[in-house]
Amino acid sequence: MIEIKNYINGKLQNPISGEWIDNYDPSCGEVYGKIPNSGKEDVEAAYIASAKAFPEWSNTNLETRSRILSKIADLIEEKLDSLAAAESKDNGKPISLAAKVDIPRASANFRFFAHAITQFAGESHESVGLNAINFTLRKPLGIVGCISPWNLPLYLFTWKIAPALAAGNCVVAKPSEVTPMTAYLLSEICMEAGLPPGVLNIVHGLGHATGQAIVEHPKIKAISFTGGTATGEHIARTAAPMFKKLSLELGGKNPNLIFADCDYGKMLDTTVRSSFANQGQICLCGSRIFVEESIYEKFKPDFVARVKALKVGHPSQKNSNLGALVSKPHLEKVLSYIEDAPNQDANILCGGNKVTVPGYEKGYYLEPTVIEVKTNQCKLNQEEIFGPVVTIMPFKTEEEALTMANDVRYGLSATIWTTNLDRTMRLSNHLEAGIIWVNTWLMRDLRTPFGGMKDSGVGREGGFEALRFFTEPKNVCIQYS
């Protein structure tokens, strides 16, 4: 039985209350560890440690900060295999996916911001004729809160922590209580890398207790959160009257627009991946597939055949395309949408059933599911399911495709498949989404801004956008004679 601990003031510690939460292995449905059930007292201890460390860390030269963050990146790379195994066991995703995507990206996050901070600069403006010059300083905020989700645990945890630390802040962070293991292992890596005590504090626990204590703490200056839209709304209601800076990366219901002039083979390969990668548990998955009418009857059987060929299996098996969903409650939520499909005049083309993996009968496995819908207004197309479920329907014109793509409360990402440059530019300008991919999916450059419109969130992360979020601009005006 693995016992995870909080990381506060450079040390691994038990929760002050002495209370613990079960940690489940989704592949077999069994408890394999315990995590702290932390409360306000633990968050306060983390804040005190951060406040004590902040003066020195914020005045540490950029070369030293960069060197420590680069060392963390090196150690994540060195421990790739063990971290990937831990991520897979905790989350249910295929170990091959964790080794190829999650852990390398976690290392890349630290390495990118280790270098980015050395290039981050303020501005200066000469007031000609007034004998004056204005220059802008970028000062760290102080103590910031970072709260990350369960779908890409270490990947998204480091996506927040790395720029916050690089900018000179100290951090009180909470990983998801559903997938805490790699954040705990990151604690050990930070100690090995020589990160000063109190600069990063990781407090484990439930969202309504630990997370709420971070959000409502009067001296934590900013909150960076990735998770569900309802939780984001709650955080905004709590933090906005306290004048905290907010970065909220929330839900998505992303359209995939497929036109007849696309590269059909590449489109089909990528659409299978963009639908079901990580069991569909990625906020950027294309869950609403709109196909031009002239190729719809070809696409439908081709896509269904490819989906039926996907193997659902134990995450450790190399030939598993899909592993287990993250938890039993989440599996039940996803199943409820599938079971309700007939009530929405929708037709299940394939999948929709729980899968029994020999030797792991209690695991949370589900067939990848394709559902044909008749209207974009159905619940299947309007609500975020966040599992291995996609809908398909045809469209006649570009205008109809654009209308349906935008007719949803979310606006995170969109994918366009076409070789028509004019169409690409028109749609890219008018799609209500923060990220547009054309003839590709999930191709990320860490320099670019990341975030969504509408109910998909507030603010942008990535590149200098993240460093701007985690700093406060201060203008200085000097007049001289």
Side-chain angles (χ1 to χ4, degrees):
M1 187 70 66
I2 297 172
E3 194 172 89
I4 287 172
K5 297 179 184 293
N6 289 329
Y7 175 55
I8 297 175
N9 201 28
K11 299 177 182 178
L12 298 175
Q13 303 181 17
N14 291 334
I16 294 172
S17 67
E19 297 178 0
W20 301 83
I21 305 167
D22 289 338
N23 189 29
Y24 285 83
D25 178 346
S27 71
C28 61
E30 296 177 354
V31 175
Y32 82 98
K34 301 283 186 181
I35 74 167
N37 188 9
S38 303
K40 285 187 176 181
E41 298 85 357
D42 303 276
V43 171
E44 183 62 25
Y47 168 77
I48 291 170
S50 290
K52 183 179 178 181
F54 176 68
E56 183 175 350
W57 181 250
S58 61
N59 286 291
T60 299
N61 63 63
L62 298 185
E63 291 75 14
T64 300
R65 273 190 238 159
S66 179
R67 176 178 52 78
I68 293 173
L69 297 185
S70 294
K71 179 61 176 176
I72 294 172
D74 291 341
L75 290 170
I76 291 174
E77 282 186 5
E78 290 174 16
K79 301 174 189 293
L80 185 147
D81 290 341
S82 60
L83 287 169
E87 199 76 293
S88 174
K89 185 170 185 176
D90 218 24
N91 175 272
K93 67 179 65 192
I95 194 169
S96 57
L97 179 65
K100 182 179 180 181
V101 176
D102 293 64
I103 308 308
R105 175 58 188 275
S107 175
N109 288 339
F110 271 105
R111 196 174 307 284
F112 175 85
F113 285 107
H115 295 299
I117 193 60
T118 67
Q119 307 301 313
F120 186 52
E123 299 173 339
S124 66
H125 305 277
E126 182 183 9
S127 300
V128 178
L130 298 176
N131 291 340
I133 187 167
N134 285 271
F135 61 90
T136 305
L137 302 174
R138 281 279 173 180
K139 309 297 288 185
L141 299 173
I143 317 307
V144 300
C146 296
I147 303 173
S148 62
W150 49 255
N151 61 324
L152 302 166
L154 191 62
Y155 178 145
L156 292 178
F157 197 57
T158 56
W159 181 234
K160 299 178 178 300
I161 290 169
L165 297 179
N169 301 282
C170 291
V171 177
V172 178
K174 190 193 94 67
S176 170
E177 66 273 17
V178 181
T179 54
M181 180 55 70
T182 47
Y184 171 62
L185 297 177
L186 180 65
S187 304
E188 298 178 338
I189 287 172
C190 288
M191 290 188 285
E192 187 177 347
L195 187 70
V199 171
L200 172 63
N201 300 275
I202 301 174
V203 188
H204 298 272
L206 300 171
H208 70 266
T210 315
Q212 181 67 18
I214 293 172
V215 170
E216 68 185 18
H217 195 287
K219 294 184 179 180
I220 290 178
K221 302 292 184 65
I223 301 294
S224 177
F225 169 80
T226 297
T229 296
T231 305
E233 291 173 0
H234 174 79
I235 290 173
R237 284 194 297 269
T238 303
M242 302 175 76
F243 304 108
K244 297 178 187 283
K245 290 185 80 172
L246 284 176
S247 176
L248 304 175
E249 198 273 281
L250 308 176
K253 194 67 180 175
N254 310 306
N256 187 356
L257 308 181
I258 301 172
F259 290 88
D261 65 349
C262 69
D263 179 333
Y264 189 84
K266 181 182 179 184
M267 175 278 297
L268 193 60
D269 288 342
T270 307
T271 299
V272 172
R273 186 168 66 91
S274 67
S275 299
F276 300 110
N278 200 43
Q279 297 72 248
Q281 298 170 148
I282 300 178
C283 57
L284 301 164
C285 279
S287 56
R288 296 182 297 146
I289 303 173
F290 301 107
V291 186
E292 191 167 3
E293 191 175 58
S294 62
I295 62 167
Y296 183 75
E297 292 304 326
K298 173 177 173 55
F299 172 83
K300 182 163 65 171
D302 289 349
F303 182 61
V304 167
R306 292 288 296 274
V307 173
K308 285 182 176 179
L310 295 173
K311 177 177 170 53
V312 179
H314 191 270
S316 66
Q317 296 172 349
K318 291 184 179 180
N319 62 343
S320 293
N321 301 116
L322 284 79
L325 272 68
V326 73
S327 69
K328 185 177 181 181
H330 188 61
L331 171 64
E332 292 170 348
K333 173 200 166 185
V334 175
L335 278 169
S336 71
Y337 279 95
I338 298 171
E339 291 164 357
D340 191 50
N343 298 326
Q344 299 179 57
D345 196 21
N347 180 31
I348 299 173
L349 300 179
C350 69
N353 303 302
K354 290 194 286 187
V355 175
T356 300
V357 175
Y360 304 95
E361 287 78 8
K362 294 182 180 180
Y364 315 133
Y365 300 97
L366 180 65
E367 291 175 336
T369 305
V370 180
I371 303 176
E372 187 175 35
V373 297
K374 294 184 178 179
T375 171
N376 187 53
Q377 291 303 309
C378 67
K379 186 166 71 171
L380 290 164
N381 266 36
Q382 291 295 314
E383 297 182 11
E384 185 179 36
I385 301 173
F386 211 63
V389 179
V390 296
T391 64
I392 65 171
M393 66 179 295
F395 65 85
K396 289 184 172 65
T397 66
E398 178 184 315
E399 292 74 20
E400 182 187 8
L402 177 64
T403 298
M404 290 193 297
N406 287 341
D407 189 16
V408 71
R409 64 185 288 208
Y410 300 103
L412 184 54
S413 73
T415 304
I416 306 167
W417 289 97
T418 182
T419 54
N420 185 315
L421 180 59
D422 292 340
R423 176 183 291 134
T424 294
M425 295 307 299
R426 283 193 302 269
L427 289 173
S428 296
N429 271 297
H430 294 292
L431 280 166
E432 295 170 354
I435 304 154
I436 311 292
W437 280 295
V438 181
N439 300 327
T440 187
W441 176 73
L442 207 60
M443 184 176 288
R444 290 284 296 124
D445 185 320
L446 299 190
R447 296 171 294 180
T448 60
F450 179 92
M453 302 176 179
K454 300 190 286 190
D455 286 11
S456 287
V458 174
R460 293 294 183 269
E461 298 180 342
F464 288 157
E465 295 287 340
L467 295 176
R468 290 187 187 101
F469 173 77
F470 284 116
T471 54
E472 196 78 76
K474 178 188 292 186
N475 190 75
V476 179
C477 177
I478 302 173
Q479 188 173 43
Y480 54 90
S481 58

